[in-house]
């Protein structure tokens, strides 16, 4: 894990960053449907669990895009992490609460999948908001809402915060017109990522879903 500081004076996004951090302070959410028809078929063939698989899809694409790995170091300097890990929710069926755990990202799907499986098993009965200890800040928050195939999702916070990483949520997939699609939502800080960056990320997620040959890695 390495944090790479950015020289703001030489950064191509200097004016955009300063404008959206200090003046407009804009954040935005994009929600759309991801076609998972091919991916879901392969997952069923291999008897895999969908949640860990799609976590890999998301994090593989996040780690290909510097704009979604941005943050601040302990000295408050802007920069980006060389790698981010997923911080994701697990549901407790007995009392209907959830906990937030994380797993170490690995570029190999099989390694990542086994890591997530192990962490979910280890912490499945541990209650609380944050149940797996962590010290760094390079975690991308991801939530799953498997009970609803939503068409829109919005976020609100009472106070400002310095979080630059995106917040991602996906819902219940459903079949229609010979396709299976999944609602996918991403909450973005405009200071570090514009529509271009977000659309690029979403297209990469779609591309991975269309060609899941990486399941063999």
């Amino acid at each position: 894990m390495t944090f790479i500081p950015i020289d703001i004076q030489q950064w191509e996004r200097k004016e955009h960053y300063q404008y959206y951090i200090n003046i407009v302070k804009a954040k935005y959410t994009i929600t759309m449907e991801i076609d998972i028809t091919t991916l879901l078929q392969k997952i069923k063939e291999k008897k895999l669990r969908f949640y860990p698989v799609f976590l890999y899809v998301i994090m593989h694409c996040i780690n290909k895009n510097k704009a979604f790995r941005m943050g601040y170091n302990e000295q408050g300097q802007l920069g980006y992490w060389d790698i981010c890990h997923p911080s994701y929710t697990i549901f407790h069926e007995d009392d209907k609460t959830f906990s937030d755990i994380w797993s170490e990202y690995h570029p190999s799907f099989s390694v990542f999948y086994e890591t997530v499986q192990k962490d979910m098993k280890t912490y499945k009965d541990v209650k609380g908001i944050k149940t797996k200890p962590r010290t760094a800040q390079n975690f991308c928050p991801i939530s799953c809402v498997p009970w609803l195939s939503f068409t829109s999702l919005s976020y609100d916070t009472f106070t400002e915060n310095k979080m630059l990483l995106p917040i991602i949520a996906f819902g219940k997939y459903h079949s229609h017109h010979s396709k299976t699609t999944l609602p996918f939502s991403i909450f973005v800080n405009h200071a570090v990522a514009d529509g271009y960056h977000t659309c690029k990320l979403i297209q990469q997620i779609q591309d991975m879903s269309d060609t899941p040959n990486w399941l063999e890695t």
Side-chain angles (χ1 to χ4, degrees), residues 59-206:
M59 291 311 304
H60 185 79
C61 295
I62 289 289
N63 281 306
K64 290 172 64 177
N65 291 272
K66 181 175 71 175
F68 297 103
R69 303 197 310 274
M70 303 287 292
Y72 302 96
N73 61 15
E74 294 180 353
Q75 292 72 43
Q77 186 174 9
L78 177 70
Y80 61 95
W81 303 97
D82 63 334
I83 190 171
C84 277
H85 307 290
S87 175
Y88 56 95
T89 55
I90 56 174
F91 186 68
H92 303 298
E93 188 63 44
D94 57 346
D95 61 4
K96 313 305 180 188
T97 63
F98 75 91
S99 295
D100 183 53
I101 66 172
W102 66 275
S103 294
E104 184 175 352
Y105 172 75
H106 194 284
S108 165
F109 166 71
S110 59
V111 173
F112 177 82
Y113 185 86
E114 290 304 318
T115 299
V116 172
Q117 289 276 75
K118 180 180 179 181
D119 286 333
M120 292 179 74
K121 181 178 180 180
T122 299
Y123 293 95
K124 66 182 179 67
D125 296 320
V126 182
K127 305 297 178 62
I129 292 291
K130 306 287 184 181
T131 53
K132 182 178 179 181
R134 66 189 193 188
T135 55
Q137 301 297 319
N138 58 328
F139 296 93
C140 178
I142 303 173
S143 296
C144 178
V145 187
W147 311 279
L148 180 68
S149 185
F150 54 80
T151 56
S152 180
L153 182 67
S154 62
Y155 296 87
D156 188 22
T157 55
F158 181 71
T159 59
E160 291 185 33
N161 62 68
K162 289 190 173 182
M163 183 171 178
L164 300 179
L165 290 167
I167 299 175
I168 293 172
F170 59 94
K172 179 181 180 180
Y173 57 76
H174 59 107
S175 298
H176 55 103
H177 304 299
S178 302
K179 291 184 178 181
T180 301
T181 60
L182 173 108
F184 176 89
S185 177
I186 179 168
F187 177 70
V188 181
N189 192 317
H190 209 338
V192 295
D194 305 322
Y196 165 79
H197 304 93
T198 304
C199 291
K200 177 185 175 184
L201 176 73
I202 292 172
Q203 186 58 55
Q204 289 171 336
I205 291 172
Q206 183 61 70

Side-chain angles (χ1 to χ4, degrees), residues 4-39:
I4 300 94
I6 286 177
D7 182 354
I8 295 183
Q9 298 306 318
Q10 302 299 320
W11 192 29
E12 68 276 7
R13 287 192 58 81
K14 173 186 173 182
E15 291 187 16
H16 299 75
Y17 169 78
Q18 292 177 337
Y19 181 74
Y20 287 117
I21 280 290
N22 299 316
I23 301 176
V24 177
K25 300 182 180 180
K27 301 176 178 67
Y28 63 90
T29 302
I30 291 180
T31 302
M32 69 164 296
E33 295 276 322
I34 302 292
D35 185 343
I36 59 167
T37 308
T38 303
L39 176 60

